Amino acid sequence: MTDFGTASAAEIASAVSAGRVGAHAVTSTVLERIARLDGRVNSFTDVVSERALARADALDAARARGEALGPLAGVPFAVKNLFDVAGLPTRAGSKINRERAPAERDATLIARLEAADAILVGALNMGEYAYDFTGENLHDGPTRNPHDLGHMSGGSSGGSGGAIAAGLVPLVLGSDTNGSIRVPSALCGCFGLKPTYGRLSRGGTFPFVGSLDHLGPMARSVEDLALAFDAMQGPDPADPVVADRGIEPTAPTVDSGIGGLRVAVAGGYFARSGDPEAFEAVRTLASALGCERTVDIPEAARARASAYLITAAEGATLHLDRLRERGGDFDPAVRDRLIAGAVMPAPFVERAQRFRRWYRAAVLDLFREVDVILAPATPCRAPRLGQKTFVLDGVELPVRANLGIFTQPISFIGLPVVAVPVWPDDGLPLGVQIIAAPWREEVALRVARHLEREGLVRAPVAKLD
């Protein structure tokens, strides 16, 4: 194995564990690829070469001593720069945060991946304070879509999507508050997992909206998502989320097939306000799964509006002092929405939270009758860099706010989702959400793996060389 840019995490781990290749060789090759290609994509903000090579040497020495290596042995990975990385300031895509003291320790999920013998190689570009769907950062520049450098990567985990699609690393971590894993997965043509709210620890990460923030992996195969997810599970006293931890980590069952699973397509809200090809991608996967049922997710438009209100209000509360003292150092597009959240009447937010409880119960009722719901991930393919508006159902709308119209109603109540990439006959990819009931990530992963094996979803590396 010499092309580590296109190899999966599972393939690399197998080769390193068996001694067919050394972790140092993998890491040095990946670092060279980043140095050679990322100037065109702009996915990395920090590369920790010295740390990565030292970790690789330690793994090679352990194997030489006859020690067994972990399930992610020698796998290079990178993280959105809102994760604490020891020795780096946690910038969260902002100008202000890069003045912070360097983090003293790694975020919990970094530590858990390295405990499985993965190797951190750097931190990734993102939308400022994660309030973004485009992948365009005023301070660090935009992450470009590797499949067409004139188009957006999606956000706010744009650097994560760009790094995977460019073949710079096989595994990354992102965050998803309203769609920030699923949107770049769709636009960049890779796989993403937004787990159940609270399933993976947020310890050691910079928050955006405490009641909506999720963390999860992105990769070029479903197996890699499952390997990373399994390695990162478990309770953490540093996690600010209070969630039901009564479910023990389970080995992902991505090879179990889909026999007996009840699949439905989301209709109504999720079947309008998008390009025809976005809905055709859903129909293609539904047909392959033998799905003939459509369900209506009730009040999805109201759920999206409520998510918007809660996002603005909680985000404004978090950043209020920064807005007062350093307002000029924000991206104006972020600052203006946070200011709007700061002056929002409290009854609006209280009503949104009350509605949220009703909506969650109503959607969970659907999962008494189905196991999986399919929906578009974005309303269209990747817009062009700098594009401000697009037309959906004959209405001109802002791109930045509306790329997440299909993701916000789902993360609003913390449902697990696997985003899978569908490639039309030509051009850029589209994404489909595979949505499951809370704590049933393995069901969504099983469906995604089946579709991957059937050749209907795939995550090719962009041709940048």
Side-chain angles (χ1 to χ4, degrees):
M1 181 193 305
T2 57
D3 191 355
F4 304 118
T6 59
S8 70
E11 290 168 338
I12 291 172
S14 175
V16 171
S17 293
R20 296 193 298 273
V21 67
H24 185 102
V26 174
T27 304
S28 60
T29 302
V30 164
L31 291 171
E32 184 277 331
R33 185 175 174 87
I34 293 168
R36 179 164 48 89
L37 296 178
D38 193 50
R40 302 176 66 190
V41 178
N42 195 34
S43 59
F44 278 82
T45 54
D46 304 272
V47 179
V48 291
S49 302
E50 185 175 337
R51 166 181 169 156
L53 291 170
R55 177 67 176 155
D57 289 341
L59 287 179
D60 287 340
R63 192 189 180 281
R65 293 191 298 269
E67 298 176 16
L69 301 183
L72 291 169
V75 173
F77 75 100
V79 299
K80 190 173 182 174
N81 70 28
L82 56 69
F83 285 77
D84 288 351
V85 175
L88 297 179
T90 306
R91 65 174 76 187
S94 71
K95 177 180 179 180
I96 298 170
N97 273 37
R98 66 195 66 199
E99 299 172 9
R100 302 176 79 196
E104 295 181 358
R105 61 182 62 84
D106 294 331
T108 298
L109 297 189
I110 294 176
R112 288 183 174 171
L113 289 179
E114 291 210 324
D117 287 337
I119 298 173
L120 180 72
V121 298
L124 299 162
N125 202 357
M126 60 176 283
E128 183 178 84
Y129 291 124
Y131 210 167
D132 167 62
F133 281 132
T134 68
E136 298 178 331
N137 184 289
L138 183 68
H139 316 293
D140 294 309
T143 296
R144 301 171 189 88
N145 193 315
H147 295 290
D148 187 328
L149 297 172
H151 287 253
M152 294 176 180
S153 63
S156 63
S157 306
S160 301
I164 289 292
L168 303 181
V169 284
L171 178 66
V172 299
L173 297 184
S175 70
D176 189 310
T177 302
N178 289 303
S180 289
I181 286 173
R182 292 160 290 160
V183 168
S185 292
L187 300 192
C188 290
C190 57
F191 295 93
L193 169 62
K194 185 202 76 62
T196 305
Y197 177 78
R199 188 73 185 254
L200 297 182
S201 171
R202 295 195 335 227
T205 60
F206 195 86
F208 174 29
V209 180
S211 65
L212 298 175
D213 290 344
H214 306 64
L215 304 177
M218 298 165 65
R220 289 192 302 277
S221 79
V222 179
E223 182 180 15
D224 289 355
L225 289 185
L227 283 170
F229 177 54
D230 199 37
M232 293 188 291
Q233 291 184 59
D236 175 22
D239 188 356
V241 178
V242 177
D244 178 7
R245 301 291 187 179
I247 298 179
E248 290 296 318
T250 55
T253 54
V254 295
D255 295 324
S256 300
I258 60 166
L261 289 181
R262 302 164 298 172
V263 181
V265 169
Y269 173 91
F270 293 93
R272 57 179 182 267
S273 298
D275 290 347
E277 57 195 3
F279 306 122
E280 181 59 30
V282 176
R283 286 192 292 269
T284 297
L285 300 192
S287 176
L289 295 169
C291 167
E292 298 179 351
R293 179 171 183 173
T294 299
V295 296
D296 185 18
I297 296 178
E299 296 280 10
R302 189 176 174 191
R304 186 195 172 213
S306 297
Y308 183 87
L309 293 178
I310 292 169
T311 295
E314 288 194 28
T317 300
L318 175 67
H319 292 289
L320 196 55
D321 288 342
R322 295 180 190 87
L323 290 167
R324 288 168 172 160
E325 299 165 7
R326 307 264 313 255
D329 289 331
F330 281 80
D331 178 338
V334 173
R335 179 193 63 217
D336 293 350
R337 285 182 292 166
L338 291 174
I339 290 173
V343 298
M344 187 181 301
F348 287 14
V349 182
E350 191 272 338
R351 289 172 187 169
Q353 292 286 17
R354 278 196 286 118
F355 166 74
R356 187 183 185 186
R357 290 191 291 272
W358 176 90
Y359 177 68
R360 185 176 190 275
V363 174
L364 292 186
D365 275 346
L366 295 176
F367 286 104
R368 299 178 186 274
E369 302 175 5
V370 301
D371 300 300
V372 165
I373 300 173
L374 304 180
T378 58
C380 59
R381 306 190 209 200
R384 297 196 63 82
L385 282 174
Q387 183 175 332
K388 300 302 182 185
T389 65
F390 52 14
V391 176
L392 302 179
D393 275 359
V395 180
E396 187 173 11
L397 297 167
V399 167
R400 188 173 185 134
N402 288 283
L403 276 171
I405 61 171
F406 297 135
T407 53
Q408 282 182 287
I410 306 306
S411 45
F412 182 53
I413 50 173
L415 300 179
V417 184
V418 175
V420 297
V422 178
W423 291 80
D425 292 335
D426 60 353
L428 292 168
L430 293 151
V432 173
Q433 298 183 85
I434 302 173
I435 307 161
W439 310 101
R440 299 307 307 274
E441 287 86 353
E442 83 282 357
V443 172
L445 287 165
R446 282 171 56 192
V447 173
R449 178 60 165 160
H450 173 80
L451 293 168
E452 183 183 31
R453 283 181 162 172
E454 293 296 311
L456 295 166
V457 297
R458 58 190 178 89
V461 173
K463 295 178 172 63
L464 291 171
D465 286 313

